Amino acid sequence: MASSWTILCVLGVLAVSSTDAVYKGTYIGKFSTLHHDVIGDVYAIDNITIYVEGFSYDGEAPDAFFFAGNKTPEPSNRGFIIPDERGRSEVLGPYRSQNLVLRFPKTKKGQRSLNDVQWVSVWCRKFAIDFGHVKVPRGIKLPQSQVAIGLESDSPQMRASAVMIADTDTFVVEDFSFDGTIPDAIFVMGSGNADASGSQVPDEKGSLNPLRKYNKKTLVLPIPPEVKGQTIQYFGVWSPSKGMLASVTFDPNALIPPSVKSLP
């Protein structure tokens, strides 16, 4: 840790080193350029969210949408609209080298996802024309949040129903309770063994003060800047006087979603 306490806790893989380009998720491919100057590179942030980098389209078609489907191997009208970057299912206007985050829609039948589609297209429904598309490879490995259970201790009394690595910036401690009887307890995360030293995690208010008493509170905690881009394997509650009080571990090879806030 960067303060007087040396510690750390786990959390999954942040699959890019500090010397690499910004991690954008799993690369799916490049839009083919068929009509209306469509270009762009497509990444999977997770199974329901894509990132389109450098997207361009002249906006001149009367009924064009981001569109996806699995009923046919090539783009067709047998698909569904992916809402635009504002979450709207409206006819697309012009874009010029823009970076977009697009989320698949939820329907009465359930959540649409990349697991369900063979292609993503810029598609004109009125004239049934594909302006450009990208194929979703079979068996593609998609980033996903990682969940661990088992953060608990009888002395002190401590429980959490789950700890989740939400993305490369954030993890969530669900239903966290702590009796506050250890006055120097703090959140920690790191690589290697869960009893190794590492980095302190600020609490949900951004404070590095020792933990106060909690009663079934869900906490959203930031990954410290000094460990972003590193392989993180454990998360725990640590006491400089008593050591690791409780911890959970994660798969160091897991593919974690990139934080949307970190994307260009």
Side-chain angles (χ1 to χ4, degrees):
M1 117 187 173
S3 69
S4 59
W5 292 320
T6 309
I7 56 273
L8 223 218
C9 82
V10 329
L11 264 264
V13 182
L14 310 185
V16 62
S17 75
S18 59
T19 59
D20 291 333
V22 174
Y23 169 56
K24 302 162 189 170
T26 299
Y27 186 64
I28 296 176
K30 186 183 295 290
F31 271 116
S32 58
T33 304
L34 302 178
H35 306 283
H36 293 282
D37 304 325
V38 167
I39 58 172
D41 289 284
V42 183
Y43 297 80
I45 293 177
D46 55 31
N47 70 327
I48 64 170
T49 315
I50 59 175
Y51 176 64
V52 186
E53 184 178 45
F55 179 68
S56 292
Y57 159 62
D58 66 15
E60 294 182 0
D63 196 32
F65 298 86
F66 294 113
F67 211 65
N70 65 354
K71 302 296 184 182
T72 56
E74 301 293 332
S76 73
N77 268 335
R78 301 184 67 187
F80 59 90
I81 293 172
I82 303 174
D84 65 18
E85 73 281 7
R86 298 167 297 175
R88 300 174 182 176
S89 298
E90 298 179 352
V91 174
L92 298 179
Y95 292 83
R96 184 171 181 179
S97 298
Q98 292 181 234
N99 298 333
L100 312 175
V101 174
L102 308 178
R103 288 183 172 85
F104 279 46
K106 184 178 290 186
T107 70
K108 293 180 180 179
K109 295 182 179 180
Q111 175 68 60
R112 304 280 197 178
S113 81
L114 278 167
N115 297 317
D116 306 323
V117 304
Q118 297 188 56
W119 44 265
V120 175
S121 170
V122 179
W123 179 262
C124 179
R125 295 189 306 176
K126 183 175 181 178
F127 295 106
I129 298 175
D130 174 26
F131 297 158
H133 68 270
V134 60
K135 294 287 189 71
V136 180
R138 289 183 178 273
I140 188 171
K141 186 176 182 182
L142 302 175
Q144 62 179 345
S145 299
Q146 300 296 304
V147 178
I149 58 175
L151 185 68
E152 58 183 86
S153 169
D154 292 329
S155 180
Q157 289 291 323
M158 183 192 311
R159 294 287 187 278
S161 61
V163 179
M164 178 176 68
I165 312 169
D167 58 37
T168 53
D169 279 353
T170 314
F171 65 97
V172 178
V173 183
E174 297 181 352
D175 301 321
F176 180 65
S177 294
F178 173 55
D179 64 12
T181 57
I182 305 298
D184 59 354
I186 56 177
F187 292 124
V188 295
M189 57 188 268
S191 300
N193 296 326
D195 57 357
S197 61
S199 294
Q200 182 176 0
V201 179
D203 66 18
E204 77 283 5
K205 296 182 178 180
S207 172
L208 295 176
N209 292 329
L211 300 179
R212 62 189 188 281
K213 186 175 181 179
Y214 289 88
N215 183 25
K216 293 185 177 180
K217 186 170 183 180
T218 294
L219 310 177
V220 178
L221 307 178
I223 295 175
E226 65 268 24
V227 296
K228 288 182 181 180
Q230 299 179 17
T231 298
I232 304 174
Q233 295 174 262
Y234 65 88
F235 172 89
V237 177
W238 166 279
S239 161
S241 62
K242 296 183 178 298
M244 189 67 77
L245 304 175
S247 65
V248 292
T249 59
F250 295 89
D251 178 0
N253 298 311
L255 193 59
I256 306 302
S259 167
V260 170
K261 295 182 293 185
S262 71
L263 296 173

